[in-house]
Amino acid sequence: MKIVEMYGESRVGVVDVPEPQARDNWVVVKVIASTICGTEARTYQIDGTRGRHGHNSGHEAAGIVWKAGPTAKIAEGTRVAVIAHIGEQCGQCFYCYQGLWLLCTNLTEGREEYLGTHAQYISRPDTHCIPMPDDVPFEIGSILVDAVGTPYRAIRRLGVNGFDTVLITGLGPLGASAAIICEKLGARVIASEPAEYRRSKAREYGVEVAIDPVAEDALRRVMDLTGGRGPDVALDFTGYTEPQMLCIDAVRVGGRVGFIGLKYDETPDGPVPRPTPVTVAGHLLPKELTLIGSWSVAPHEMLELYDLVQNGLPVEQLITHRFSIDDSQQAYETAFNQRGCKVIIDPWLE
């Protein structure tokens, strides 16, 4: 079967590897749609060595259960979205009992079967495969597991509603998805985004005003747009210090802030998390802020997302490009040139 292999230095290739096998409670999924995520940038641009993702860093996919192991609790032929967990949860710790598998304290390292999802077939535990309704397309299922699910989890945890004004920093795929969700909830959405192409698409995502933080004072503009009070909620999807601090400084007294974006600084010892100079005395106490970090999406939230899609959540507009697996180099170039949003790899497209 074909699979994308990461070489680093902004190069990928397509190689043939043996098809995975179903055993125990593991299933083989025939991948119909796999989308490129912004977190793949480092593997693509810098470090192409094989890590626990296997041959590639893909982790957003949907497809059909092709083969099922003897103890699998999901039938062959089932349409599924594959949650983006690399490692098998124990099912018996404090967090697993709450359904928060992503926080499992006994997560096992991914086995050799954990090839990335930019492949024709992948193998996963049956619990990682969330059955999809027939009217949810595979492409939509693939973006729900991360690009939509991750911001949805943060928005859900912060209780965003129709009375809120929300500031979003970064209109990449996750930020654009957050805007769509917040607008659907009835919130007023403003955004800060330096890339012209992404600002040009902002209205389609429900953004009222998209600010260019390079050309103008973003904090002053946000305060002007909110009558000097500041937004009720701020969400950062960049991972960069300046947008993160814009969220902290702009949000109103008693406001809520979610940090979802990830960025690392390269050092001789490897990547380290980028520091953000938030202080208790200078930022948190005087404004009585609520700050959260939010990571991935929980399985039960996937079921909620299916309902939202069936009730008109227009996340299909996030998908701007589609490529065959043989054109994966072009797919990655498109995904990281800021001239598109979600890029789909179709492993079966000729």
Side-chain angles (χ1 to χ4, degrees):
M1 71 169 185
K2 293 179 179 179
I3 187 168
V4 176
E5 187 156 55
M6 315 295 289
Y7 301 131
E9 300 180 349
S10 299
R11 296 182 304 112
V12 303
V14 178
V15 297
D16 287 315
V17 300
E19 292 183 14
Q21 300 300 309
R23 67 182 197 221
D24 303 326
N25 69 314
W26 282 54
V27 301
V28 174
V29 176
K30 180 180 181 179
V31 177
I32 305 301
S34 181
T35 54
I36 296 175
C37 176
T39 57
E40 297 179 55
R42 187 177 187 279
T43 309
Y44 169 59
Q45 297 168 344
I46 300 172
D47 181 12
T49 59
R50 296 181 183 181
R52 60 179 181 172
H53 286 268
H55 293 280
N56 69 58
S57 54
H59 54 266
E60 303 179 0
I64 301 167
V65 175
W66 202 245
K67 298 176 184 177
T71 62
K73 294 183 174 63
I74 191 165
E76 294 177 359
T78 304
R79 305 170 76 256
V80 295
V82 183
I83 59 174
H85 298 178
I86 304 299
E88 194 168 3
Q89 71 280 0
C90 72
Q92 295 183 319
C93 69
F94 176 80
Y95 298 104
C96 282
Y97 280 135
Q98 298 181 68
L100 300 176
W101 302 344
L102 67 164
L103 301 178
C104 174
T105 55
N106 303 308
L107 194 71
T108 60
E109 290 295 320
R111 302 192 301 194
E112 185 65 27
E113 294 98 325
Y114 272 107
L115 297 175
T117 61
H118 304 321
Q120 292 181 315
Y121 296 97
I122 58 173
S123 182
R124 294 292 188 272
D126 56 357
T127 52
H128 287 206
C129 300
I130 312 298
M132 292 196 308
D134 290 341
D135 58 350
V136 175
F138 290 110
E139 290 186 349
I140 299 302
S142 71
I143 63 174
L144 292 183
V145 297
D146 190 359
V148 179
T150 296
Y152 173 72
R153 177 172 172 77
I155 290 164
R156 188 179 187 272
R157 291 178 61 199
L158 290 171
V160 174
N161 59 64
F163 296 101
D164 288 329
T165 294
V166 179
L167 167 65
I168 292 173
T169 52
L171 284 176
L174 271 70
S177 176
I180 291 170
I181 296 168
C182 289
E183 195 274 338
K184 183 71 172 179
L185 292 171
R188 178 194 183 201
V189 183
I190 55 181
S192 173
E193 169 55 59
E196 182 180 356
Y197 172 82
R198 290 175 172 175
R199 289 197 311 275
S200 73
K201 304 286 284 184
R203 284 280 184 180
E204 297 179 23
Y205 306 141
V207 177
E208 181 181 303
V209 177
I211 301 162
D212 181 355
V214 177
E216 57 183 318
D217 185 327
L219 178 59
R220 177 176 295 179
R221 185 74 189 284
V222 170
M223 300 310 289
D224 287 345
L225 289 167
T226 56
R229 188 176 78 165
D232 304 285
V233 179
L235 301 166
D236 176 70
F237 293 95
T238 71
Y240 288 112
T241 302
E242 285 191 13
Q244 289 175 334
M245 295 310 299
L246 173 62
C247 289
I248 294 288
D249 293 334
V251 76
R252 68 169 174 81
V253 171
R256 297 104 75 195
V257 182
F259 296 111
I260 303 96
L262 285 174
K263 282 292 180 293
Y264 294 89
D265 289 324
E266 297 296 328
T267 74
D269 297 322
V272 296
R274 180 165 294 189
T276 302
V278 178
T279 63
V280 173
H283 301 98
L284 304 189
L285 292 184
K287 294 177 73 173
E288 293 198 344
L289 299 182
T290 297
L291 270 62
I292 69 166
S294 201
W295 179 257
S296 193
V297 62
H300 68 277
E301 291 161 346
M302 285 292 297
L303 304 183
E304 296 172 7
L305 285 166
Y306 291 157
D307 287 342
L308 287 172
V309 168
Q310 290 174 315
N311 284 282
L313 186 69
V315 292
E316 67 279 354
Q317 58 196 12
L318 296 170
I319 301 170
T320 56
H321 297 81
R322 297 167 179 83
F323 294 92
S324 71
I325 196 168
D326 291 321
D327 293 324
S328 292
Q329 180 66 48
Q330 186 179 355
Y332 271 90
E333 291 171 1
T334 302
F336 292 109
N337 68 7
Q338 296 190 343
R339 293 291 299 171
C341 195
K342 289 306 289 183
V343 174
I344 300 279
I345 292 177
D346 182 340
W348 304 97
L349 183 66
E350 294 295 335

